[in-house]
Amino acid sequence: QVQLVESGGGLVQAGGSLRLSCEASGSIFSTRRMGWYRQAPGKQREFVAYITSGGDTNYADSLKGRFTIFRDNIKSTVFLQMNSLKPEDTAVYYCNAYRRFSFESEYWGQGTQVTVSS
């Protein structure tokens, strides 16, 4: 039984910040690469960031410097800190867990809406 539950989305003005959380049930969290994707209205889902079980991170080039991914293995939670938000960041943000030793996703959360107003 594995579930990913996102929280922290909402409405924020341009230039503001939000911190998204994704809590994972079950015992798989500490062994998995975790990530964030987003899907804007009328757009395809796009990669945001991932963090490995060892703490190594990777970001979409366009977001590096504004977004930070980190994890708390004790709380089985992965976070996405979003700063200097822009209207084009408006999207549903999804948390994902990769298969072991793989870049293929195995689990997805339900998503949390982020809306950035101008």
Side-chain angles (χ1 to χ4, degrees):
Q1 297 181 5
V2 175
Q3 288 184 311
L4 306 179
V5 181
E6 301 98 334
S7 62
L11 176 65
V12 65
Q13 292 188 347
S17 298
L18 284 174
R19 179 177 292 181
L20 306 183
S21 300
C22 172
E23 184 175 2
S25 65
S27 60
I28 69 165
F29 182 84
S30 64
T31 69
R32 302 298 185 98
R33 184 192 313 266
M34 303 291 297
W36 290 93
Y37 281 73
R38 69 184 185 182
Q39 187 165 22
K43 303 293 184 180
Q44 295 184 352
R45 183 170 57 185
E46 65 175 343
F47 169 77
V48 173
Y50 72 66
I51 182 167
T52 70
S53 60
D56 295 327
T57 60
N58 186 62
Y59 300 89
D61 287 342
S62 63
L63 301 177
K64 191 173 184 178
R66 294 196 298 120
F67 288 15
T68 304
I69 187 171
F70 58 101
R71 66 195 294 163
D72 184 337
N73 287 345
I74 300 300
K75 296 183 180 296
S76 297
T77 302
V78 62
F79 303 90
L80 183 69
Q81 178 68 42
M82 305 185 294
N83 298 325
S84 301
L85 285 164
K86 305 173 181 179
E88 53 262 42
D89 295 319
T90 295
V92 178
Y93 284 72
Y94 298 93
C95 173
N96 71 293
Y98 295 85
R99 297 183 185 275
R100 293 190 68 186
F101 314 115
S102 176
F103 285 96
E104 177 182 319
S105 293
E106 184 173 13
Y107 303 106
W108 290 92
Q110 294 295 112
T112 185
Q113 175 70 233
V114 172
T115 302
V116 184
S117 62
S118 60

